[in-house]
Amino acid sequence: MHHPHRQRGLHLIPRIVRTAIGSPILTLTLCTVVAYLALSAGRSGKRPVLYKGSQYWKEGVTLDVKTLYETPFARFQLHTVRMGESVIDDWMWFDESDNINVLVQEEKGNFVVLKQTKYAIDGETLAIVGGFIEEGETPLEAAQRELKEELGMEAKHWKDMGSYRAAANRGGGMTHIFWAQKATYLSGAEQTAVRGQADLERQDLVRHSEKELVELLLQGKFGEIKWTATVALALLNSQQENLRFNED
C-alpha cells in the first residue's frame, strides 16, 4: 500500500478555493484560518501535535494525501482521488476523532436530555450525552464512561443503533450511537449531575416522556444533526419494540 505523504505549506492553501463549498466569503475565511494556523506552527518552531486517529485511505481510489493542519482531535487534508477516468488532486478532507452519542432513558421510562448552550448554536438547544472515544476504548465503553461522567448514571441495557459517517464525501469522523435503557444514578450522583461542566458551557438536565420527546424532535429542538438522528433512531426502535410487544 502506498504510504501517504504529509505536506504542510502555504502553497497548498489556494487549492482549497477550487473545492470549497459555500460563498466566496466562507472560502476566504477558511483559507485565512488555515494559513494563520500554518504560520503559527512555523513561527513557534514546534512540531504540531499529530492527530490521534487513523488515516483514511480508500483502496484503488485514494492516490495521495497531504496534511495542511492537525491537532490531537482533528485534521484537515487535501486528497488526490481517482473518480472513474479522472484524477482530482484537491479533494478536501476533514477528520474528527470518532465519537459516541447516547440517548438515555431512565428505569421509570422518562428520557433524560440536556438543555444547554453550544458555541456553534445560537441560543439554547436540547442535547444528549456524547464525547470522543479515547484510545483503547470500544464505542460501548466510551458511551458507558460518558454516561457516568456527564450524568453520574449507569444503564442496565444498551442498544447499539449503528455507526455512521458524519459527511459522506468530506469525512468528519464516525459517530457511534446508542440507546441506554433503564438508567439509574450511581450512589450520591443525582445532585451533582444537574449541572454538567464537561464543555464549560451552561447545561441543565431535563426529563421528557416519549410523547413529549417526539414533539420536541419534530419541532427541531435538537440543534445538531447527530443528536437529532440519535433521538429519532431510538424513538423508531422504541416504536418497533412496542409493535412487537402488542403483536405477541
Side-chain angles (χ1 to χ4, degrees), residues 108-122:
K108 295 180 180 179
N110 283 333
F111 290 87
V112 181
V113 296
L114 303 166
K115 181 186 292 185
Q116 60 183 183
T117 57
K118 301 296 285 185
Y119 177 67
I121 297 175
D122 292 335

Side-chain angles (χ1 to χ4, degrees), residues 48-60:
V49 179
L50 298 180
Y51 174 65
K52 295 180 180 180
S54 60
Q55 175 64 58
Y56 181 75
W57 190 275
K58 193 168 187 177
E59 198 65 38

Side-chain angles (χ1 to χ4, degrees), residues 220-241:
K221 297 299 184 180
F222 292 88
E224 184 187 76
I225 187 62
K226 291 185 289 186
W227 301 335
T228 299
T230 301
V231 174
L233 276 172
L235 290 172
L236 285 171
N237 273 277
S238 179
Q239 289 179 7
Q240 288 296 106
E241 289 184 4

Side-chain angles (χ1 to χ4, degrees), residues 139-246:
L140 177 57
E141 288 170 344
Q144 292 169 334
R145 173 181 53 76
E146 289 288 352
L147 177 58
K148 181 178 179 180
E149 289 178 356
E150 291 194 24
L151 299 184
M153 302 181 81
E154 60 183 2
K156 294 180 180 178
H157 300 294
W158 288 83
K159 185 172 183 62
D160 186 338
M161 298 187 293
S163 303
Y164 303 89
R165 173 68 72 184
N169 274 330
R170 304 297 173 189
M174 297 292 293
T175 298
H176 307 264
I177 61 178
F178 295 91
W179 175 14
Q181 299 167 281
K182 295 189 175 182
T184 56
Y185 283 102
L186 298 169
S187 178
E190 184 169 4
Q191 295 302 317
T192 60
V194 175
R195 250 180 219 284
Q197 297 296 325
D199 292 324
L200 300 180
E201 296 169 314
R202 183 172 175 271
Q203 178 173 289
D204 296 307
L205 184 150
V206 292
R207 293 174 172 85
H208 292 288
S209 67
E210 183 168 328
K211 182 178 179 181
E212 291 170 338
L213 200 64
V214 170
E215 289 300 315
L216 292 166
L217 183 71
L218 293 174
Q219 292 168 16
K221 297 299 184 180
F222 292 88
E224 184 187 76
I225 187 62
K226 291 185 289 186
W227 301 335
T228 299
T230 301
V231 174
L233 276 172
L235 290 172
L236 285 171
N237 273 277
S238 179
Q239 289 179 7
Q240 288 296 106
E241 289 184 4
N242 291 335
L243 284 175
R244 285 194 292 267
F245 178 80
N246 292 332

Side-chain angles (χ1 to χ4, degrees), residues 6 12 25 56 82 104 137 140 152 159 188 202 229 234 244:
R6 288 177 175 168
L12 293 173
I25 293 177
Y56 181 75
R82 186 186 303 279
V104 181
E137 282 186 323
L140 177 57
K159 185 172 183 62
R202 183 172 175 271
R244 285 194 292 267

